[in-house]
Amino acid sequence: MAKHTTLYQHGTLALLVPGLLRGTMTMGDLLKHGDTGIGTGEGLDGELIILDGKPYQVDGDGNVNIVPDSFTMPFANIHYARYSPLAESENVSQDDLDEQIVSLSKAGNTFFSIKITGSFSDVKTRAVRKSEPPFHTLAQTARHQNVFTRDKVKGTLIGYYSPELFDGAAVAGFHNHFLSDDHKFGGHLLDFHLEKGEVSYQLFDTLEQHLPVNDDQYMTHDFSTDNIADTIHSAEG
Amino acid sequence: MAKHTTLYQHGTLALLVPGLLRGTMTMGDLLKHGDTGIGTGEGLDGELIILDGKPYQVDGDGNVNIVPDSFTMPFANIHYARYSPLAESENVSQDDLDEQIVSLSKAGNTFFSIKITGSFSDVKTRAVRKSEPPFHTLAQTARHQNVFTRDKVKGTLIGYYSPELFDGAAVAGFHNHFLSDDHKFGGHLLDFHLEKGEVSYQLFDTLEQHLPVNDDQYMTHDFSTDNIADTIHSAEG
């Protein structure tokens, strides 16, 4: 069923905005939809990166853990990896690399994933500390984040690109997570410079968008007063 | 694979706005994803309603045809029907009925389908006349529509409700098509009054959004200058 061209998404970033941070899918269930991905835990419990079917969490203290199948999430992206080489890049900033990738892939109007392995410098990541219920808004919760930096580090970037048309459901543009080769550093990427790396990509023709319809808080929430777009771009930028 | 809780969508309404009206999926392929649905043909060639696996088209002259598997579409919704009874309604306007359905179903934050069978009055539908390439914008093409009316008619309404969060990808709110029991009248519903009917609904936890990634015109289009939201709401209202 063309599983390599489908991106599975549980939840939407928009539902995090008003603080719908309850974990509504387990990692065990998520892993039935792919072997590569990113996400966050209940209460924004750290930043997740899934590589070769292994779910790594960078927690709010910057520690890298493997989470159990029972770990729950309000939001995640996952797919079955089959990346194609796009470029070998050297000495390029994040912004320039983003532009090059959209240009080379010619895929700016659909969803795709990128994987970059190599040597990075001036890497800045963040990970949020888990909140307990009752949850606050995304903006308030995201204040409890720590920022981590590395001057030089080898590792893997997994990212998803969403087209502008789906802004809200996803974050338009790139959403990138990182894990170092030594598994001692990672998180949601805020900034980086790619020293030298292999850039590969995987194009999707299908977004399989799953919503937490069994969660009463989600189903009864009034989204009309949430300033979704502005909050997402300030929290995820 | 929980197929009764998945809504399949080919294309998005947003891509119709700038005139990306090429047929990018055949009816034969669409019918692999369900037995009940709505859509439009290449160049906005009429209004489609799929009932029990049969694809009916109301063309720009108001004639009802069955289209072949080779018929192509830029946009369609389809799913496998398993509706649950929601209400038996009498003497209610479209707007009041919409409110009642959202209230009773408690499903306003997810995608769902409605099916209404019964007696309708003051029914107003429209169907667009097919355009040939090069296609014009949705607003220009939609001017070539005919409006059809019936004082009293028995028939079936198939509709999809999309939550506000996905406005653009879908049309937020209801998108309803109609076919009379005698197969002589139908189209995209602009207005109606329900005299007496059975209202049923089917809730989805998954939107399977398929994009026409093999269509160069779609993949290379610059959506940034299209006024997507406003145009959809004036054309589909």
Side-chain angles (χ1 to χ4, degrees):
Chain A
M1 284 295 292
K3 66 180 183 177
H4 290 105
T5 59
T6 294
L7 168 61
Y8 183 89
Q9 179 164 291
H10 172 68
T12 74
L13 279 159
L15 63 84
L16 304 184
V17 170
L20 296 166
L21 306 181
R22 193 188 281 177
T24 45
M25 176 170 268
T26 65
M27 182 57 77
D29 282 339
L30 184 70
L31 289 170
K32 293 173 185 166
H33 300 277
D35 55 25
T36 301
I38 64 177
T40 186
E42 174 164 284
L44 302 188
D45 185 12
E47 305 284 343
L48 303 168
I49 183 166
I50 300 166
L51 294 173
D52 297 328
K54 276 201 187 156
Y56 300 92
Q57 175 207 40
V58 181
D59 66 25
D61 294 321
N63 298 315
V64 179
N65 316 298
I66 292 203
V67 300
D69 278 357
S70 59
F71 186 87
T72 62
M73 297 155 285
F75 176 79
N77 283 128
I78 195 164
H79 76 285
Y80 286 101
R82 191 162 70 188
Y83 290 92
S84 301
L86 186 68
E88 298 192 12
S89 295
E90 274 186 62
N91 193 19
V92 59
S93 70
Q94 177 177 19
D95 287 349
D96 288 348
L97 186 60
D98 284 356
E99 273 184 37
Q100 287 174 20
I101 289 171
V102 173
S103 171
L104 282 171
S105 69
K106 300 186 178 68
N109 283 342
T110 193
F111 295 88
F112 63 87
S113 179
I114 55 170
K115 180 175 183 174
I116 305 176
T117 54
S119 304
F120 298 75
S121 60
D122 301 320
V123 182
K124 192 162 105 177
T125 66
R126 72 100 195 276
V128 179
R129 204 178 291 276
K130 183 179 185 179
S131 287
E132 299 297 335
F135 297 121
H136 297 291
T137 64
L138 179 64
Q140 290 170 305
T141 309
R143 282 187 209 126
H144 302 227
Q145 70 174 35
N146 279 318
V147 171
F148 309 100
T149 58
R150 282 288 190 280
D151 290 344
K152 303 260 182 197
V153 61
K154 290 181 194 259
T156 300
L157 175 158
I158 295 290
Y160 291 95
Y161 172 90
S162 302
E164 185 69 32
L165 287 176
F166 289 86
D167 196 30
V171 184
F174 290 93
H175 182 184
N176 299 329
H177 285 196
F178 185 80
L179 184 66
S180 68
D181 286 349
D182 63 9
H183 292 186
K184 290 184 176 167
F185 170 78
H188 174 101
L189 270 173
L190 297 174
D191 199 13
F192 68 89
H193 192 90
L194 180 62
E195 291 291 308
K196 185 171 168 53
E198 309 275 336
V199 181
S200 58
Y201 81 118
Q202 183 172 349
L203 186 148
F204 306 115
D205 66 7
T206 301
L207 171 71
E208 192 175 346
Q209 169 68 61
H210 182 260
L211 294 171
V213 299
N214 297 317
D215 183 38
D216 282 349
Q217 286 182 18
Y218 170 69
M219 289 298 275
T220 59
H221 184 78
D222 177 7
F223 285 95
S224 64
T225 59
D226 301 323
N227 191 350
I228 305 283
D230 290 353
T231 308
I232 286 178
H233 289 284
S234 67
E236 295 292 324
Chain B
M1 285 296 290
K3 66 180 185 176
H4 291 103
T5 59
T6 294
L7 167 62
Y8 183 88
Q9 178 164 291
H10 172 68
T12 75
L13 279 159
L15 64 85
L16 304 183
V17 171
L20 296 166
L21 306 181
R22 193 189 279 176
T24 44
M25 175 170 268
T26 65
M27 183 56 78
D29 282 338
L30 183 71
L31 289 170
K32 293 172 185 166
H33 300 278
D35 54 26
T36 301
I38 65 176
T40 187
E42 175 164 283
L44 301 188
D45 185 10
E47 305 283 343
L48 304 169
I49 182 166
I50 301 165
L51 293 174
D52 296 327
K54 277 200 185 157
Y56 301 92
Q57 176 206 39
V58 181
D59 67 24
D61 294 320
N63 299 314
V64 179
N65 316 297
I66 291 205
V67 301
D69 278 355
S70 60
F71 186 86
T72 62
M73 296 154 288
F75 176 78
N77 283 127
I78 195 165
H79 76 285
Y80 287 101
R82 191 163 70 187
Y83 290 94
S84 302
L86 187 68
E88 299 193 11
S89 295
E90 275 185 61
N91 192 22
V92 59
S93 70
Q94 176 175 20
D95 287 348
D96 289 348
L97 186 61
D98 285 355
E99 274 185 37
Q100 287 173 20
I101 289 170
V102 172
S103 171
L104 283 170
S105 69
K106 301 185 177 71
N109 283 342
T110 192
F111 295 89
F112 63 89
S113 178
I114 55 169
K115 180 176 183 174
I116 305 176
T117 55
S119 304
F120 298 74
S121 61
D122 301 321
V123 181
K124 192 160 106 177
T125 66
R126 73 100 195 277
V128 179
R129 206 178 289 278
K130 183 179 185 178
S131 286
E132 300 295 336
F135 298 120
H136 297 291
T137 64
L138 179 64
Q140 290 169 305
T141 309
R143 282 187 208 126
H144 303 225
Q145 70 174 35
N146 280 318
V147 171
F148 309 100
T149 58
R150 282 289 189 282
D151 289 345
K152 303 261 183 199
V153 63
K154 288 179 194 262
T156 299
L157 174 159
I158 295 290
Y160 292 96
Y161 172 90
S162 302
E164 186 69 31
L165 288 176
F166 289 85
D167 197 31
V171 184
F174 290 93
H175 182 186
N176 299 329
H177 285 197
F178 185 81
L179 184 65
S180 66
D181 285 348
D182 64 9
H183 292 187
K184 290 184 173 166
F185 171 76
H188 173 101
L189 270 173
L190 297 175
D191 199 11
F192 67 91
H193 192 89
L194 180 61
E195 291 288 309
K196 186 173 167 51
E198 309 273 336
V199 181
S200 58
Y201 82 117
Q202 183 173 349
L203 187 149
F204 306 115
D205 65 8
T206 301
L207 172 71
E208 192 176 347
Q209 170 68 61
H210 182 260
L211 294 170
V213 299
N214 296 317
D215 183 38
D216 282 349
Q217 286 182 19
Y218 170 70
M219 289 298 276
T220 59
H221 183 78
D222 177 6
F223 285 95
S224 64
T225 59
D226 301 323
N227 190 350
I228 304 285
D230 290 353
T231 308
I232 285 181
H233 289 282
S234 67
E236 296 290 324

